[in-house]
Amino acid sequence: MIAKIVKVLLPGLSLACSAPNLWAADQAAAAAPPESAYSALQWRGIGPFRGGRAVAVTGVPGSPNVFYFGAAAGGVWKTIDAGATWKPIFDAEKASSIGAIAVSRSNPDIIYVGTGEANMRGDVTWGGGVFKSIDAGKTWTDLGLTDTRQIGAVIVDPVDPNIVLVAAVGHAFGPNTQRGVFRSSDGGKSWSRVLYKNELTGAIDLAADPHNPKIIYAALWQVRRQPWNFSSGGPGSGLYRSQDGGLTWSQLTAHGLPDGILGRIDIAISAADSHRIYAMIEAKEGGLFRSDDAGTQWHRVSDDGRVRQRAWYFSKIYADPNAVDTVYALNTGMLRSLDGGKTFNLVSATHGDHHALWIDPNNSNSLINANDGGASISLDGGNTWSTQDNQPTGQFYHVATDNRSPYYIYGAQQDNSNLAIASFDDEGVIGPRDWYPAGGGESGFVVPDLRNPNIIYSDAENQYARFDFRSQQSQNISPDPIDNSGHPASELTHRFNWTSPLMLSPHDPDALYAASEVLWKSTDHGMSWKIISPDLTRNDKTKQTASGGPLTKDITSVEYYDTIFALAESPLRKGNLWLGTDDGLVQMTEDDGAHWRNVTPAAMPAWSTVSMTEPSHFDPAAAYIAVDRHRLDDIAPYAWKTADTGKSWVSIAAGLPAGAVVHVVREDPARRGLLYAGTELGVFLSFDDGAHWSPLQRGLPVTPIHDLTVHGDDLVAATHGRGFWILDDLTPLRQAQASADELALYSPQTALRLYYPDQINSRRPVGANPPAGAVIDYVLAADASTELTLDIVNAKGELIRHLSSTKTNKEVQPPEWPDQIVPSDLIPAHAGMNRLVWDLRYDDPVQIPGAFYEGEAPRGPIVAPGQYQLRLKLGDKTRAAALTVVADPRVPNSDAAIAAKTALALATYHDIDALHRAVNEIRAKRKALKTARASAGLDAKLALIEETLMQVKMNGSEANLAFPGMLNEQLAAFAGSLEDADTPPTTQQQALYTALHEKLQAQLALWRGLNQQ
């Protein structure tokens, strides 16, 4: 939200340094609060709505507007309006990485999803097997095959949806046996492995003859990724065919197929003529191969470099189902051939780096494409495409924030640019106007200068930049600016990795650090650098060789090894730097690099990646490290803490589930012992310094969490598949206690007095705003059996707002505007934590039943900045807490102006209340007169007053265009006009109020006179 005043609210909690001994686990465990003490916390996704890598797509024949896509780490999404909007339908499942999606032709409500992306990128995450839906994605069933990890293809028999085949690549980072082709004939209840080569080789693709589903082709792929290498191809790779529906297989060799070692293979069979088969084959003499006789003979039709480059990452081929010579090849561009693959022309598809395509068998103009920017749909054969700016599936590596109001969040998005995005927008949602590219690339860190957020430092590999938002110029400030593409690490002068560290000192904003195998420092904004360390890695030359495998070299910094991976400076002690390497070392200096100590935990397995270091906010001798070994095929969680500058370490990973690979551990700066862990399976928290952990998902979808940061009272997450998320107001976590109380009221964070909108269009692709008002949190031991009330009292002791869990006098007129916000004034009262958002308004004036207004009925005015008291009452229990309300920090020195305008708003409020009471009394009087004799004259006089006080014919929000607004409508509009800005009322506003007030008093005097008759 907008920058907040951070308060320490726990009694006895101090920010001062303490002795270096860490909490004993048994003592801490006894103090751990129950989940019910913070159960109402909810993450909110802010976007950006800019698609990340999508790898699987499908449509539904016969339903031209229904499509699905699977994201690299963002789950499964569905559209029913041809891509105008997308909805996530897989968020409740245990896996977020999607490898394949297949919809049954005979029953499109049946969907199979193979999890685990098969594009072996350096940031690839794994899946959890195969899932099935029988209700078009509403619910899912886990079908097993969990250890397949990466799945390349799923196909379903076109007649019998219980027959399904899965191409399982297997572990990306090591050998395993649950790989190859699996077949089920009972809808996934049981599986048979029907094609298997060895523990190093898996299956990457499947294709069935559209006219004879018994004929199936499969591609086996020998592939492995390691932290220092990637290898595609080997003797295990090959092309296979089954003629009995996948029960038995024979390998296809020779007859025109390439000789020697093969790599990745993709197959497409033409539905226009199933004798026509295309195969994209990675080989020494690879390219696009074609058979015109159902796979008996083959010949290479294209070795165009545009279709065969980076074969391990692309190699995708798709046959048009209605034109035998039309075929699509996906690579960096989307290419189409109209002559059977001999020549290709570029299709103007969105983004770049294309991974999947589905062509409607009934209409070749209907396409859905998956690429590094998300999924997009074309209904005109590829001439135009739906937007990808409605998919919040970005993969971010790190997160930083600035000190603006509202604060901005910074990160680099894989397969796109870096960016900055606001945490709040006065519009009520966070949309495209709230984010902008920040002058750098797709990986690494993005760090704003806290003195001037227009200056942003960032890096991607060895390229570092200083971006000036005002001039929109991005200056290259790389310590070693050479282009190393294609060169193995052994040939480099300096080894920078894909996400090389970048840091501004918290003590000296002019001290900028960068890291390769050594640590660099600049004190002149990157204009010059000096090396302040020796090589701090293992520098193992055997792990610095060329990457790609036996067929295709593919050398990027992703495989550069023996590098510094993590860097942080103690917030308590300048020059106390903690860093970790990707080859398993932890190093620290207490004098800004003059001297270094290897403080690697003895228990940490060799070659681990130290993914993050976190020096303590309470003790300069204490620190935490997150350790990632998934690229060594070890998905166990690892994390450690030290209290003695690294002389000894204690593991803090106990209690984290298998698969929760730890990317980051952050310490809460306000409550000692409160830790947050970002893992491959989401966010976890510990109240006892890591002795025990609990999930902190609270609405956050399962997706890898690569970084976390605490900004004031908020926890901000960089997900690697679903953009940025914020957990607003950590007050409950900082104040929660283990002991149960019948009623507990947390001391609230400082509230910001803002002008929150009455209408919010959240139906478009936008991020969520923070709560609109003062956040008030309390805990009940059980559901309230009697009325729960909250009284809010100002500094004078005056009651300004009374709220109840059971009683409301709120009048709500029939809805006309779908975006109108009509909050309830009933407060929650259920067992566990309850979160109430007070809109910072006084009690509403008395309402006129059935009255219509242009907008909402008149409400209480917004309170002025100041001190307020909360009094929560349940039965004979009362709890009190102080609340501070502050003015919008973007408008300095506004308190006097707000006070003047609030005084006028209150005067208007009292007039509206008096008017409404008078109308209600007049109506009651007139109703009583109907039974009295000789009342016609008095009734006519009362009717005239009523009609002067309000427009009695107002029956719609714009009825005032036919029936002019009277005093009630004019006062309501005037009250609304005072909620505009933190400025004093104008002379005109004061004059108008005086005029309206005098008119009202005249009518009220008439009413009082008649009421006495």
Side-chain angles (χ1 to χ4, degrees):
M1 197 181 168
I2 291 181
K4 300 167 185 170
I5 299 172
V6 180
K7 299 189 296 182
V8 178
L9 299 169
L10 280 173
L13 186 63
S14 172
L15 292 178
C17 301
S18 63
N21 59 314
L22 295 167
W23 292 8
D26 55 347
Q27 293 173 330
E35 184 180 357
S36 59
Y38 54 88
S39 56
L41 292 176
Q42 285 290 309
W43 290 87
R44 61 181 172 99
I46 67 167
F49 279 75
R50 180 174 76 167
R53 187 166 70 247
V55 296
V57 291
T58 188
V60 179
S63 298
N65 293 322
V66 179
F67 297 87
Y68 301 87
F69 83 82
V76 180
W77 296 72
K78 180 179 182 178
T79 179
I80 58 174
D81 52 20
T85 59
W86 293 92
K87 299 294 183 185
I89 60 171
F90 205 69
D91 283 359
E93 307 313 312
K94 65 183 180 183
S96 63
S97 179
I98 308 301
I101 306 174
V103 175
S104 167
R105 288 288 301 271
S106 59
N107 181 356
D109 284 342
I110 297 177
I111 309 168
Y112 291 91
V113 169
T115 62
E117 176 189 12
N119 293 319
M120 297 298 184
R121 289 296 303 257
D123 66 331
V124 65
T125 187
W126 56 93
V130 179
F131 294 77
K132 178 182 179 181
S133 175
I134 59 173
D135 52 16
K138 295 187 178 92
T139 59
W140 297 89
T141 301
D142 184 345
L143 301 182
L145 297 182
T146 302
D147 201 42
T148 55
R149 298 246 181 119
Q150 323 295 149
I151 291 178
V154 176
I155 60 173
V156 184
D157 186 279
V159 177
D160 184 353
N162 289 314
I163 298 176
V164 56
L165 284 87
V166 173
V169 177
H171 290 200
F173 298 97
N176 78 309
T177 57
Q178 197 172 78
R179 56 171 72 205
V181 176
F182 293 83
R183 184 180 189 273
S184 176
S185 59
D186 56 11
K189 295 176 183 176
S190 62
W191 296 95
S192 299
R193 191 176 65 187
V194 293
L195 179 59
Y196 175 74
K197 188 72 174 181
N198 57 48
E199 62 181 7
L200 299 175
T201 303
I204 183 61
D205 196 30
L206 291 165
D209 187 327
H211 301 292
N212 182 2
K214 295 290 186 182
I215 298 175
I216 304 173
Y217 291 81
L220 296 188
W221 185 24
Q222 183 172 325
V223 60
R224 184 175 181 181
R225 181 170 280 285
Q226 295 172 286
W228 51 83
N229 190 34
F230 173 76
S231 180
S232 173
S237 301
L239 180 62
Y240 292 76
R241 178 172 59 197
S242 173
Q243 296 180 316
D244 56 10
L247 296 174
T248 62
W249 299 83
S250 58
Q251 186 172 3
L252 303 182
T253 59
H255 301 283
L257 291 171
D259 297 325
I261 290 175
L262 304 182
R264 182 168 179 169
I265 302 170
D266 201 65
I267 317 112
I269 305 172
S270 174
D273 179 358
S274 55
H275 288 84
R276 172 68 61 83
I277 307 172
Y278 298 93
M280 191 73 77
I281 303 176
E282 181 185 11
K284 183 178 180 181
E285 300 296 330
L288 178 61
F289 289 75
R290 192 178 94 190
S291 174
D292 298 321
D293 55 9
T296 303
Q297 298 292 328
W298 298 81
H299 63 284
R300 185 168 72 173
V301 290
S302 177
D303 63 352
D304 187 335
R306 295 177 301 160
V307 304
R308 61 176 298 202
Q309 64 186 337
R310 302 198 86 189
W312 67 270
Y313 190 42
F314 299 112
S315 295
K316 300 296 291 182
I317 194 76
Y318 296 88
D320 187 305
N322 301 297
V324 69
D325 286 325
T326 299
V327 61
Y328 292 83
L330 303 188
N331 205 283
T332 56
M334 180 177 176
L335 301 161
R336 178 169 53 202
S337 173
L338 302 178
D339 56 11
K342 297 175 184 177
T343 61
F344 283 89
N345 294 308
L346 185 66
V347 178
S348 60
T350 55
H351 205 79
D353 285 10
H354 300 271
H355 302 294
L357 181 70
W358 180 84
I359 310 168
D360 190 334
N362 301 327
N363 176 10
S364 295
N365 285 324
S366 178
L367 313 168
I368 179 171
N369 169 235
N371 56 54
D372 276 4
S376 55
I377 294 165
S378 176
L379 301 178
D380 57 10
N383 293 318
T384 60
W385 296 85
S386 64
T387 183
Q388 294 176 315
D389 289 338
N390 55 6
Q391 301 157 33
T393 52
Q395 295 178 281
F396 287 89
Y397 286 99
H398 295 288
V399 61
T401 58
D402 63 21
N403 287 332
R404 275 189 280 181
S405 298
Y407 68 85
Y408 273 64
I409 296 164
Y410 298 80
Q413 180 181 340
Q414 173 66 40
D415 301 316
N416 219 304
S417 70
N418 66 16
L419 58 78
I421 183 169
S423 59
F424 165 89
D425 189 295
D426 293 281
E427 186 184 9
V429 290
I430 299 169
R433 74 178 190 178
D434 296 308
W435 62 265
Y436 55 85
E442 63 184 303
S443 61
F445 292 75
V446 188
V447 183
D449 187 328
L450 296 183
R451 300 165 299 181
N452 179 6
N454 289 306
I455 302 301
I456 304 166
Y457 297 93
S458 66
D459 72 302
E461 305 180 86
N462 69 321
Q463 300 300 313
Y464 287 67
R466 182 180 186 271
F467 176 63
D468 189 329
F469 178 76
R470 294 163 300 188
S471 67
Q472 290 292 296
Q473 293 185 347
S474 185
Q475 178 189 7
N476 188 311
I477 58 168
S478 305
D480 183 32
I482 190 170
D483 180 4
N484 289 319
S485 299
H487 292 271
S490 59
E491 296 180 3
L492 307 183
T493 304
H494 296 289
R495 300 184 300 276
F496 290 83
N497 64 51
W498 184 247
T499 59
S500 299
L502 169 67
M503 182 187 76
L504 277 171
S505 170
H507 304 283
D508 180 0
D510 289 318
L512 184 65
Y513 295 86
S516 54
E517 81 291 350
V518 297
L519 189 62
W520 306 71
K521 183 178 181 180
S522 173
T523 56
D524 56 7
H525 313 122
M527 295 300 295
S528 64
W529 296 84
K530 66 177 181 178
I531 295 173
I532 62 170
S533 79
D535 187 330
L536 296 172
T537 74
R538 297 180 188 271
N539 194 19
D540 183 343
K541 295 301 182 184
T542 66
K543 294 179 173 59
Q544 298 174 23
T545 58
S547 182
L551 295 171
T552 311
K553 295 304 175 190
D554 195 90
I555 303 172
T556 69
S557 65
V558 171
E559 293 83 26
Y560 289 166
Y561 198 61
D562 299 316
T563 67
I564 298 171
F565 200 86
L567 172 65
E569 183 176 16
S570 168
L572 302 176
R573 184 173 293 170
K574 183 178 181 180
N576 188 352
L577 306 175
W578 297 77
L579 62 82
T581 71
D582 61 3
D583 56 8
L585 298 178
V586 181
Q587 309 271 11
M588 69 95 66
T589 175
E590 297 180 85
D591 51 17
D592 204 32
H595 303 87
W596 290 90
R597 285 195 296 120
N598 183 336
V599 295
T600 306
M604 188 169 78
W607 310 112
S608 302
T609 294
V610 181
S611 58
M612 205 73 72
T613 58
E614 172 79 347
S616 174
H617 294 266
F618 301 95
D619 183 349
Y624 305 84
I625 59 171
V627 176
D628 178 357
R629 289 179 51 81
H630 84 272
R631 295 189 298 164
L632 296 164
D633 205 34
D634 179 357
I635 60 171
Y638 295 95
W640 279 269
K641 66 182 178 182
T642 181
D644 54 12
T645 65
K647 296 181 181 68
S648 63
W649 295 85
V650 176
S651 172
I652 57 170
L656 290 171
V661 170
V662 184
H663 297 296
V664 58
V665 174
R666 296 295 184 203
E667 180 186 49
D668 189 278
R671 177 172 184 166
R672 188 163 194 181
L674 177 57
L675 304 180
Y676 311 103
T679 78
E680 197 71 15
L681 300 182
V683 180
F684 293 81
L685 86 160
S686 172
F687 288 98
D688 51 18
D689 216 31
H692 301 83
W693 294 92
S694 301
L696 188 60
Q697 288 302 102
R698 318 307 311 167
L700 178 68
V702 173
T703 188
I705 309 297
H706 276 214
D707 200 3
L708 297 166
T709 190
V710 178
H711 180 97
D713 295 335
D714 297 345
L715 180 62
V716 186
T719 79
H720 204 67
R722 292 294 290 271
F724 290 118
W725 290 68
I726 300 175
L727 188 64
D728 295 293
D729 190 2
L730 299 172
T731 293
L733 298 181
R734 290 171 171 172
Q735 299 180 30
Q737 301 297 323
S739 58
D741 191 355
E742 183 178 349
L743 181 64
L745 174 62
Y746 293 129
S747 296
Q749 67 175 176
T750 297
L752 289 168
R753 184 188 185 277
L754 303 173
Y755 301 103
Y756 298 102
D758 295 331
Q759 295 192 40
I760 300 175
N761 179 5
S762 57
R763 292 170 292 160
R764 53 199 167 126
V766 288
N769 244 16
V775 177
I776 301 170
D777 297 322
Y778 48 93
V779 181
L780 304 184
D783 291 345
S785 58
T786 59
E787 183 186 19
L788 175 73
T789 62
L790 176 69
D791 287 340
I792 303 172
V793 178
N794 65 16
K796 298 178 181 179
E798 300 167 335
L799 177 65
I800 63 168
R801 191 69 182 266
H802 174 78
L803 295 167
S804 166
S805 64
T806 61
K807 300 174 184 176
T808 176
N809 295 317
K810 192 176 185 69
E811 284 283 331
V812 179
Q813 65 191 42
E816 290 186 64
W817 309 104
D819 300 325
Q820 186 78 40
I821 304 299
V822 185
S824 171
D825 59 0
L826 289 174
I827 64 175
H830 52 75
M833 178 190 160
N834 295 263
R835 171 158 284 185
L836 160 69
V837 180
W838 173 38
D839 59 8
L840 298 178
R841 291 182 178 276
Y842 284 74
D843 275 324
D844 289 343
V846 168
Q847 299 296 334
I848 302 173
F852 253 95
Y853 298 89
E854 185 177 359
E856 274 197 83
R859 296 171 292 173
I862 302 173
V863 302
Q867 299 297 317
Y868 296 85
Q869 188 79 10
L870 308 177
R871 295 173 185 169
L872 187 69
K873 184 176 182 181
L874 179 66
D876 60 354
K877 298 284 193 302
T878 300
R879 300 290 182 266
L883 170 67
T884 300
V885 178
V886 298
D888 189 336
R890 297 169 294 183
V891 186
N893 305 314
S894 60
D895 283 1
I898 294 173
K901 188 167 282 184
T902 302
L904 183 58
L906 279 169
T908 306
Y909 160 77
H910 290 305
D911 278 359
I912 292 173
D913 185 75
L915 186 153
H916 288 185
R917 291 177 186 274
V919 169
N920 290 340
E921 291 168 359
I922 290 170
R923 289 182 172 179
K925 180 83 169 182
R926 294 183 65 195
K927 183 177 180 180
L929 287 174
K930 289 182 179 179
T931 61
R933 296 181 179 181
S935 61
L938 179 57
D939 182 72
K941 293 177 181 179
L942 293 174
L944 181 60
I945 296 174
E946 180 182 348
E947 292 167 7
T948 305
L949 289 176
M950 69 173 294
Q951 178 50 261
V952 296
K953 296 180 180 179
M954 187 84 169
N955 58 6
S957 65
E958 294 187 355
N960 58 348
L961 302 180
F963 308 105
M966 306 307 286
L967 278 172
N968 182 47
E969 292 73 39
Q970 291 173 335
L971 281 166
F974 178 68
S977 74
L978 297 176
E979 297 177 6
D980 57 347
D982 293 346
T983 54
T986 64
T987 302
Q988 306 90 279
Q989 287 175 319
Q990 292 171 328
L992 177 57
Y993 169 74
T994 299
L996 292 174
H997 177 74
E998 290 175 353
K999 291 180 181 179
L1000 173 63
Q1001 293 305 313
Q1003 294 301 312
L1004 294 179
L1006 290 175
W1007 155 238
R1008 286 192 294 269
L1010 291 176
N1011 193 33
Q1012 294 174 359
Q1013 296 181 16

